[in-house]
Amino acid sequence: MGKKLFVLLVVLMSLSLIGIIFVQSFFINDSLENEDQNFTLNVKHALTYVSRDIAEMELRNYAIKIQPYLVEGAVADSSGIRQLFITSEDDINDKTIIHRNTVLEERFKVPSLFFEIDADSFNISKLSNERVTEIYNKTNIDGKKSITPDKRLIQYSSMPALDKQMLEDTFKDLLKDIPIYKRITAVQVETLLRRQLRGEGIDLDFEFSIYDDDLATKVQTENFEKENAFHGVPIFLDNNNESSYTLWVDFPDREKYLVSSILWMIVLSIIFTGIIIIAYASAIYQLIKQRQISQIKTDFINNMTHEFKTPIATINLALDSIKNPKIIGDQDKVKRYLGMIKEENKRMHAQVENVLRISKLEKNELNISKERLKLHDLVEDAITHVELIVEDRKGYVKTHLNAVKSSILANETHFTNVIVNILDNAIKYSDNAPKIDVFTENVGNNVILKITDQGNGMSKQVAKRVFEKFYREHTGNVHNVKGHGLGLAYVKRIVDDHQGHISVESEKGKGSTFIIKMPLIS
């Protein structure tokens, strides 16, 4: 996959993810605003009904108190009659029609103690209505006008609607100067509010207070705060539909209530968005890994053969030495060089199997048999694999084997390869003559092996990843050191399998020190 295509895919996927998150956030915010609007509308409806109920409750209570004074048969203190006459002529039938509407207003004196006003009493009016329709013939057979109606229709009725309106108007005028706490209690307001709010589907704790203009009254709950007031409605309207009293209500848990109403939507949105983010991150990670593997694959194919460089160079040097007339006659040296050739041939075979080893190690399929070995013997054996190359480059490998105890449980072949790989890297990454020092020491129940070189070294960032499979330090277009990044990955896996620990200390331009800590056996 090309770099441009890869970047394009990442950008498109990122934009899609951001778009999904934005749409989800917008949808949730829009739902929250709708819930808020519905909540506000329901509260307004409830408060409107509460204002009406408060006025009706007060009217009903005082109407009950004065009812004994207005019962049927009660003698009015005064009365008045209002009459309306309407006459119409029916010329076709020679008749005269007279309509008479009589309104009787009876006034009853009611003690003012019910209302706590200054006057001793006040008047309450009771209205009744009589409607009479009379029909007269203009002339009789003898030609004289009749003074007796031919037909009379009489209807009697009380006027409750007018009575009620007159009572309301009277009460509003009488009660508007009475202190609010004498007209209604906090318990009554709370009861009415709770009933109406539940009727609107709001089962939520609230605080309320009745204000007289900007002054708080005694009719309120303990924890009400005006600055948090959600909505207010005027109560006890006078005959001009005006009032100085306002009922304010507040919902402390309003935000939680609104969120809880769409909580299932938020939870599902978070879950599904989280799944998308995880899938996105996994996809990006896999794309990056695949791209890295794709890049490494080319380097791997091109550089695989260079892993044979060290053993081939050793074999060539050994063969050149054998050809030397001075050495060919020395059977001991010839045998020594032939032994080196054999060992390096074995190591080339081992290098070919490195990839399979790493794969089996990662799958825990590689069965490594271990036995009691001396670490110092393994170090000496590993040095023999590289000493000719070091001598050819005018370098050295010095040993400082100070550990008193060096017995470990290890596999001879694999652990020797570990040390050889580290020495081989020290040689590869030394531009000048390789200078390598090998140290051992005992620390507690462990033996420490340190391999120090004075080569090129590496940065801290590279040192953190140097044991990763296929990882190689980027050097731009300079490929003076070949390899496929399996050596140190193999080293770490083998050391880990031996219950050991490996680390590296390095500084760019000043060389590196590889430290292996292995448990001792008695």
Side-chain angles (χ1 to χ4, degrees), residues 130-174:
E130 180 186 56
R131 295 184 298 280
V132 179
T133 300
E134 296 176 336
I135 302 174
Y136 294 89
N137 279 327
K138 289 185 177 181
T139 59
N140 289 326
I141 297 176
D142 56 3
K144 296 181 179 179
K145 289 185 178 181
S146 174
I147 60 173
T148 304
D150 289 346
K151 185 184 293 185
R152 174 178 288 181
L153 300 175
I154 302 175
Q155 291 180 326
Y156 293 97
S157 66
S158 60
M159 303 177 70
L162 287 176
D163 288 345
K164 181 180 179 182
Q165 186 62 49
M166 291 178 67
L167 285 175
E168 287 184 3
D169 293 344
T170 302
F171 287 154
K172 288 178 180 179
D173 288 337
L174 287 173

Side-chain angles (χ1 to χ4, degrees), residues 357-365 469 493:
R357 285 200 200 110
I358 289 292
S359 177
K360 289 182 178 180
L361 276 171
E362 289 178 344
K363 297 177 181 177
N364 295 319
E365 295 176 355
K469 182 181 176 183
R493 293 306 300 265

Side-chain angles (χ1 to χ4, degrees), residues 101 133 153 183 198 245 309 314 362 378 381 430 493:
N101 194 339
T133 300
L153 300 175
R183 300 179 67 178
R198 285 179 178 173
Y245 296 114
K309 185 175 181 180
T314 300
E362 289 178 344
L378 298 176
D381 186 29
S430 294
R493 293 306 300 265

Side-chain angles (χ1 to χ4, degrees), residues 361 364 366-370 491-500:
L361 276 171
N364 295 319
L366 189 60
N367 184 19
I368 301 177
S369 61
K370 303 181 184 73
V491 165
K492 179 169 176 56
R493 293 306 300 265
I494 293 296
V495 172
D496 290 343
D497 188 72
H498 283 70
Q499 285 75 51

Side-chain angles (χ1 to χ4, degrees), residues 17 102 312 327 404:
L17 179 60
T102 302
I312 289 174
I327 293 177
V404 177

Side-chain angles (χ1 to χ4, degrees), residues 94-110:
D94 289 332
K95 292 183 179 182
T96 300
I97 302 172
I98 299 175
H99 301 278
R100 176 166 53 87
N101 194 339
T102 302
V103 176
L104 173 63
E105 180 182 5
E106 297 176 294
R107 300 183 184 89
F108 300 86
K109 286 190 177 181
V110 178

Side-chain angles (χ1 to χ4, degrees), residues 318 321-322 327 333-342 388:
S321 297
I322 290 173
I327 293 177
K333 288 186 177 180
V334 170
K335 288 181 179 179
R336 178 190 173 199
Y337 290 136
L338 289 175
M340 286 183 178
I341 291 172
K342 184 179 180 180
L388 282 179

